[in-house]
Amino acid sequence: MEEASLFSLPEGMRVEHIQITEHGLVIAVEASHPTSCCPLCAQISQSIKTHYRRVVRDAPCTGRQIQLVLTVRKFYCRNPSCSRKVFTERLPTFVEPWARMTIRCCQQITSIGLATCGKGGARLAARLGIQTTRPTILRRIMGLPDVSGRSVVYLGIDDFAFRRGYRFGTILVNLESHRVVDLLPDRRKETAARWMYHQPDLAVISRDRGGEYASAAREGAPQAIQCADRFHVVKNLTEAVQVLLARCQAEILAEKKPDEPCQEKQNKPIISIEAWRPPEPAHVEKVRLARRAGRYARYQQVVELSQQGIATKVIAGRVGMSDRTVRDWLKQGAFPEAQKRRKKPSSFDPFAASVLKRWQEGEHNGLALWQEIKNQGYTGTDRSVYRYLKTLKQAEVRASLNPERIEKYAATTAIWLFVRDPKQLDAVEREDLTTFCQASVPLKKAYDLLQDFLSLVHKREGQRLDAWLAKVAESELPELQSFAAGVEKDKDAVQAGLTWAVNNGMVEGHVTKLKLLKRTMYGRAGFALLRQRVLHAV
Ligand SMILES: [Zn+2]
């Protein structure tokens, strides 16, 4: 029948007639399949006993409510060994026995419920032509099958806050299917361990560095390999560097204060390490001096004309300069020396402080100093080193830098200079970073260790972890050493986390989605409803 396919009715159903009422459409449908299957013994029967009517609501059509008046039948079961003598015809994919709504209509209500929540859902459904109530919607969601029992091999586990910093739950994600597999109402070890115990296939558990989930995994799934989540490991290291940064920053700024010039003693000019630059080659200096002479001549001309009472506009025209520059020059009242160009940042800069320190300790051999910084990661030539030493001989270079560069950062923002890929920093940020590294040898050391660790994480070179920890042990940086001590306690998991592809990034994403869901619901059903909505989220 054409109408039957128009309304997507299952096979064997025939539309008898359609009536348009003020509420929508009333469609009379008759089941016409000659046989039906006994629900108990599954034997096919063609002996019809009676016909009877059922009225069910269907999904709306073009915004109209649809009511189906179904004429279905009762059959005799002819199987002598079956205890059921009479059974009602089943329409398994269309409507359940005794239901007052078709399955597809139920599904629409459930989808609306999952996407919204009880109250708003009922309003939206009404707009779409489905009459329902908030309790019905909630009942539909709560009635969805429990999918949490499915087997998980790669598990990600993390906590989330019901209310920020107040009450926490646990989220469990299947890292293969990328789906949330369960929510737990708290983040206690026992609860998580019990859940894991019922998951015999668990092979890998990716978790944060909190001890609770680690002991839960040890208890509930001792067979699984534990991976400390990379994100959390990096976060811990970053926090350690931040503490160190705050300490060094305070030290640098404290040292800065008594900056009385004691020039006479050594009779050498004082240069801050930041202002240090290689001496100008003779030909560059010649050009610069020539340019300065030209400027100076023009300056004198401007002053002379101005003294004759000539207007700046006219002067500007005569000397071929802009009106504004003439005015600026006259306002300054002295010859404005050209601003020296900014020094070109060089790969040697971050090592200047370390070389200075060694120089002051008595190491004056350029080759040896070059070798030393090469071991620290310097990739440039020895030329920069020799140029720098030449300056050190002629002037007193001080590790006292422009404190504004350092002062303008809080430790919480400065850490971003340290964490980010140096290639991503802009010119000013790169100079600021260099300033930090020049100002403090421990900071430079910490920077190198942090970047080395980040590259290890990025390239998943977990096998380098031991070597890295050894470097930290030698570093004399207590903040990093205490981070390293934490890693040692959980080393197998950290190493696995740094080596394996598995990570909790996906879990973090689900926590964000969960926060959104939480915001759209309140009230009675609480955790149980949240759990259903998360587990069945599309
Ligand atoms: Zn039967």
Side-chain angles (χ1 to χ4, degrees):
M1 268 272 133
E2 264 180 36
E3 288 98 337
S5 58
L6 180 66
F7 292 106
S8 309
L9 296 174
E11 205 190 327
M13 309 210 72
R14 198 170 55 212
V15 173
E16 291 298 308
H17 62 84
I18 299 170
Q19 189 191 347
I20 300 175
T21 69
E22 59 173 316
H23 301 296
L25 300 183
V26 178
I27 306 174
V29 178
E30 209 175 300
S32 59
H33 213 273
T35 61
S36 187
C37 208
C38 169
L40 203 64
C41 68
Q43 187 165 304
I44 290 170
S45 166
Q46 41 185 327
S47 323
I48 297 170
K49 181 175 182 270
T50 52
H51 288 75
Y52 72 103
R53 277 197 180 157
R54 284 177 72 183
V55 178
V56 294
R57 254 186 301 138
D58 197 5
C61 178
T62 63
R64 278 179 164 137
Q65 289 180 29
I66 295 201
Q67 203 164 50
L68 299 180
V69 181
L70 293 175
T71 304
V72 283
R73 296 145 312 169
K74 288 194 175 180
F75 285 79
Y76 290 109
C77 179
R78 298 299 189 195
N79 180 357
S81 57
C82 180
S83 62
R84 183 73 59 88
K85 299 298 165 220
V86 174
F87 64 90
T88 54
E89 186 173 13
R90 295 294 201 263
L91 304 165
T93 56
F94 192 60
V95 60
E96 299 196 67
W98 307 288
R100 284 154 53 191
M101 208 184 278
T102 58
I103 290 172
R104 60 192 182 192
C105 189
C106 287
Q107 284 169 343
Q108 290 191 357
I109 292 177
T110 311
S111 300
I112 290 171
L114 287 173
T116 61
C117 59
K119 214 173 184 179
R123 276 201 303 270
L124 174 61
R127 273 287 177 91
L128 300 173
I130 305 172
Q131 258 187 328
T132 186
T133 59
R134 185 170 184 231
T136 307
I137 293 179
L138 292 181
R139 215 170 40 243
R140 291 268 156 239
I141 299 175
M142 298 313 294
L144 285 170
D146 193 346
V147 290
S148 63
R150 286 178 201 161
S151 156
V152 179
V153 180
Y154 293 88
L155 178 75
I157 184 169
D158 205 352
D159 61 8
F160 68 91
F162 284 109
R163 261 193 266 164
R164 200 194 296 214
Y166 182 70
R167 209 158 65 80
F168 293 88
T170 298
I171 185 167
L172 299 143
V173 176
N174 181 338
L175 296 177
E176 283 179 299
S177 71
H178 302 196
R179 287 194 67 102
V180 178
V181 287
D182 213 344
L183 288 189
L184 307 177
D186 57 51
R187 58 173 180 186
R188 285 166 45 234
K189 176 185 78 180
E190 295 77 20
T191 317
R194 202 175 316 125
W195 192 94
M196 291 173 189
Y197 180 76
H198 293 290
Q199 286 287 342
D201 298 334
L202 274 183
V204 174
I205 297 173
S206 174
R207 53 157 172 85
D208 67 1
R209 308 214 34 231
E212 290 291 290
Y213 293 142
S215 25
R218 257 195 309 278
E219 260 175 47
Q223 80 283 0
I225 295 172
Q226 295 192 33
C227 275
D229 179 47
R230 289 194 284 281
F231 170 80
H232 287 96
V233 176
V234 170
K235 188 162 163 261
N236 291 151
L237 173 58
T238 310
E239 281 161 2
V241 174
Q242 194 175 314
V243 174
L244 178 127
L245 195 60
R247 171 170 70 86
C248 291
Q249 213 176 352
E251 283 171 9
I252 295 165
L253 294 174
E255 247 174 58
K256 247 310 289 171
K257 295 247 165 73
D259 202 7
E260 295 303 312
C262 47
Q263 221 156 322
E264 284 129 52
K265 244 198 287 172
Q266 302 203 343
N267 216 6
K268 275 181 176 181
I270 296 176
I271 304 175
S272 91
I273 201 165
E274 202 184 20
W276 169 80
R277 67 189 72 202
E280 227 169 8
H283 66 280
V284 176
E285 194 184 7
K286 226 172 172 178
V287 172
R288 186 173 60 79
L289 289 177
R291 209 176 279 149
R292 183 186 182 276
R295 241 166 83 90
Y296 189 65
R298 262 203 293 189
Y299 172 72
Q300 282 182 324
Q301 205 183 347
V302 167
V303 172
E304 224 167 86
L305 292 170
S306 161
Q307 277 164 358
Q308 290 168 22
I310 297 172
T312 45
K313 236 185 206 161
V314 183
I315 301 176
R318 273 205 218 163
V319 297
M321 283 163 51
S322 85
D323 200 8
R324 197 168 145 197
T325 313
V326 171
R327 230 177 309 135
D328 283 350
W329 277 16
L330 288 171
K331 211 160 65 188
Q332 282 181 30
F335 175 59
E337 287 287 355
Q339 290 275 314
K340 263 196 178 174
R341 292 224 189 113
R342 275 170 100 98
K343 178 171 162 286
K344 241 170 72 192
S346 100
S347 62
F348 175 75
D349 292 345
F351 300 91
S354 154
V355 173
L356 174 63
K357 186 164 170 274
R358 295 288 293 128
W359 172 271
Q360 285 162 348
E361 284 167 7
E363 178 58 84
H364 292 184
N365 181 323
L367 204 62
L369 288 166
W370 180 44
Q371 204 54 53
E372 277 179 28
I373 59 172
K374 259 190 1 189
N375 290 339
Q376 294 167 25
Y378 174 64
T379 52
T381 62
D382 57 348
R383 243 177 72 191
S384 296
V385 182
Y386 283 114
R387 278 194 200 144
Y388 183 56
L389 294 190
K390 205 168 152 193
T391 314
L392 289 183
K393 281 174 201 156
Q394 289 165 355
E396 192 193 340
V397 174
R398 287 234 183 134
S400 57
L401 308 112
N402 178 1
E404 279 167 27
R405 283 233 137 114
I406 293 191
E407 265 167 348
K408 76 177 179 188
Y409 284 97
T412 44
T413 46
I415 187 71
W416 287 105
L417 296 176
F418 279 61
V419 175
R420 277 160 61 199
D421 179 352
K423 286 186 217 100
Q424 308 275 308
L425 300 176
D426 66 30
V428 174
E429 287 169 332
R430 210 168 301 147
E431 273 180 45
D432 290 342
L433 173 65
T434 304
T435 306
F436 272 103
C437 289
Q438 284 179 339
S440 153
V441 173
L443 266 186
K444 168 77 176 110
K445 240 190 252 175
Y447 177 72
D448 290 341
L449 284 168
L450 174 61
Q451 285 289 330
D452 187 29
F453 192 82
L454 291 175
S455 126
L456 179 161
V457 171
H458 194 67
K459 298 183 191 150
R460 301 237 198 87
E461 297 169 328
Q463 76 282 1
R464 286 211 290 123
L465 181 65
D466 277 319
W468 189 85
L469 289 171
K471 272 194 266 174
V472 172
E474 287 170 14
S475 73
E476 295 168 23
L477 302 171
E479 292 85 352
L480 293 196
Q481 283 168 347
S482 98
F483 165 78
V487 168
E488 288 285 358
K489 273 191 219 148
D490 194 19
K491 200 161 99 186
D492 288 345
V494 171
Q495 193 139 28
L498 295 176
T499 314
W500 289 52
V502 166
N503 83 88
N504 262 12
M506 200 189 298
V507 181
E508 309 278 326
H510 279 294
V511 169
T512 312
K513 270 194 225 160
L514 193 142
K515 279 186 199 154
L516 287 175
L517 273 183
K518 256 183 357 198
R519 228 170 278 161
T520 63
M521 54 181 277
Y522 11 66
R524 290 172 276 173
F527 173 74
L529 177 61
L530 177 68
R531 179 168 178 272
Q532 285 295 75
R533 289 187 65 193
V534 171
L535 294 189
H536 293 276
V538 195

